[in-house]
């Protein structure tokens, strides 16, 4: 077998392991090791392993991952998520579908200090679901809105997945955070519009609650302004060039911890649970990164990505056809894989193809950033699509009396909003790149 044929065979073997529910990190590590040995031999593989772990985990940019995860865990354990929901609900709850819109707005706010969709869905589900039940929202709308709102956790910066993509694509993390902000806000408002239309066309699905007096609304804002200050400090510091993303994550983690302690909602036990949760999530992500490095090193030796890129470029297919074929592949993979795994598995193959095609006359860096945002939005859809839909499973575990099919039915209108947003960004890259050009020069 040629090295390219070995590349395809090992790639298929890795996918088979994933189908049998082997952990993604171990599947990529095993597949990459076998392929590396077949192409170069056992001794070169052992030599590569000598410096692999240190070479990967000593990368400064990766230190942002545990810090952002800790910031999100502290915010969840310290009751800050409840304040966000109460503030948005104070202003939106008295509209039809308003409580569900409040939950989506709170998900966006929590995502701004978390960076994880699963954590956002789990935390906001615990906070908002009781209120949605109290207001007699239909089970499909309540659970569907929370599952979809949770996806904002990786779209609203800071985003752990974007940090990983930046390292893979050798792009600036701050520029990717800038590019994600406007699509993230469009996603939030798109979801709110879906809730409004749902409540209007399905009578009784999202009843309005009683409006609160302005005094109580202002009190709710007063309780949430420190969280907004943290977000502005972290993101504003990154965008303004005051902090590197890692420095901003450290400042944000310290400020979030101080707020949680000052609110007296987080004791030592909750703090240690937040630290342990961040450590476990970091270990899982780093294992996946290690496996991806081995697999990517083998793929580079096999020349399979180059062969695929050359074949696509020589085929004469229009660039947009190639792009939407990749989007379709992401949608299929999203049915069986999580977002980070999809990025790590596909970017080494997809990105060289994208960089070799002309899209709207974009330069190298703009094209890489634009594709990163598109890929992020598509893998985000995988969090709410059957049969896996991790966000759906998380919300359904909190609402045990709601059948799974009801929750999946509830997310369908939100999937339509996602697809429209993907088409918008695909045909109008400036929506994502405008802020990068304004703030980044």
């Amino acid at each position: 077998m040629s090295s390219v044929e070995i590349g395809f065979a090992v790639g298929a073997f890795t996918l088979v392991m994933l189908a049998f529910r082997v952990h993604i990190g171990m599947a990529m590590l095993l597949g990459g090791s076998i392929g590396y040995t077949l192409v170069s031999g056992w001794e070169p593989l052992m030599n590569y392993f000598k410096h692999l772990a240190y070479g990967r985990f000593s990368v400064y940019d990766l230190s942002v991952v545990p810090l952002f995860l800790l910031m999100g865990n502290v915010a969840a354990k310290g009751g800050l998520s409840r304040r966000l929901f109460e503030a948005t609900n104070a202003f939106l709850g008295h509209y039809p579908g308003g409580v569900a819109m409040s939950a989506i707005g709170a998900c966006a706010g929590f995502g701004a200090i978390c960076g994880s969709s699963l954590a956002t869905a789990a935390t906001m589900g615990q906070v908002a679901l009781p209120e949605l039940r109290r207001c007699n929202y239909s089970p499909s709308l309540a659970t569907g809105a929370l599952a979809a709102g949770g996806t904002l956790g990786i779209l609203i910066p800071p985003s752990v997945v974007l940090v990983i993509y930046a390292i893979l694509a050798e792009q600036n993390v701050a520029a990717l955070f800038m590019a994600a902000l406007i699509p993230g806000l469009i996603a939030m408002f798109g979801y709110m519009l879906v809730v409004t239309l749902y409540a209007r066309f399905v009578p009784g699905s999202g009843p309005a609650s009683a409006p609160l007096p302005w005094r109580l609304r202002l009190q709710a804002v007063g309780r949430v302004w420190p969280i907004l200050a943290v977000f502005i400090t972290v993101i504003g510091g990154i965008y303004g060039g005051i902090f590197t993303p890692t420095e901003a994550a450290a400042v944000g983690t310290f400020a979030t911890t101080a707020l949680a302690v000052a609110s007296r909602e987080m004791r030592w036990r909750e703090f240690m649970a937040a630290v342990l949760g961040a450590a476990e999530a970091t270990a899982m992500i780093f294992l996946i990164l290690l496996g991806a490095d081995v697999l990517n090193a083998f793929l580079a030796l096999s020349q399979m990505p180059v062969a695929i890129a050359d074949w696509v470029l020589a085929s004469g297919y229009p660039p947009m056809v190639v792009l939407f074929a990749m989007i379709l592949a992401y949608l299929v993979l999203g049915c069986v894989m999580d977002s980070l795994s999809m990025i790590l598995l596909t970017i080494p193959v997809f990105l060289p193809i994208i960089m070799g095609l002309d899209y709207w006359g974009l330069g190298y860096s703009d094209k890489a950033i634009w594709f990163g945002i598109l890929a992020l939005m598509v893998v985000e859809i995988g969090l709410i699509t059957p049969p896996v839909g991790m966000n759906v499973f998380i919300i359904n575990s909190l609402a045990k009396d709601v059948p799974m099919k009801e929750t999946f039915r509830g997310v369908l209108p939100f999937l339509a909003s996602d697809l429209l947003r993907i088409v918008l960004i695909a045909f109008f890259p400036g929506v994502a790149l405008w802020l990068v050009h304004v703030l980044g020069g």
Side-chain angles (χ1 to χ4, degrees), residues 11 39 55 133 138 204 222 335 343 345:
V39 173
R133 290 182 184 278
S138 73
C335 295
I343 289 292
L345 197 61

Side-chain angles (χ1 to χ4, degrees), residues 46 50 199 308 330 371 414:
M46 292 296 100
K50 284 194 303 185
I308 294 175
Y330 273 129
F371 180 68
F414 298 98

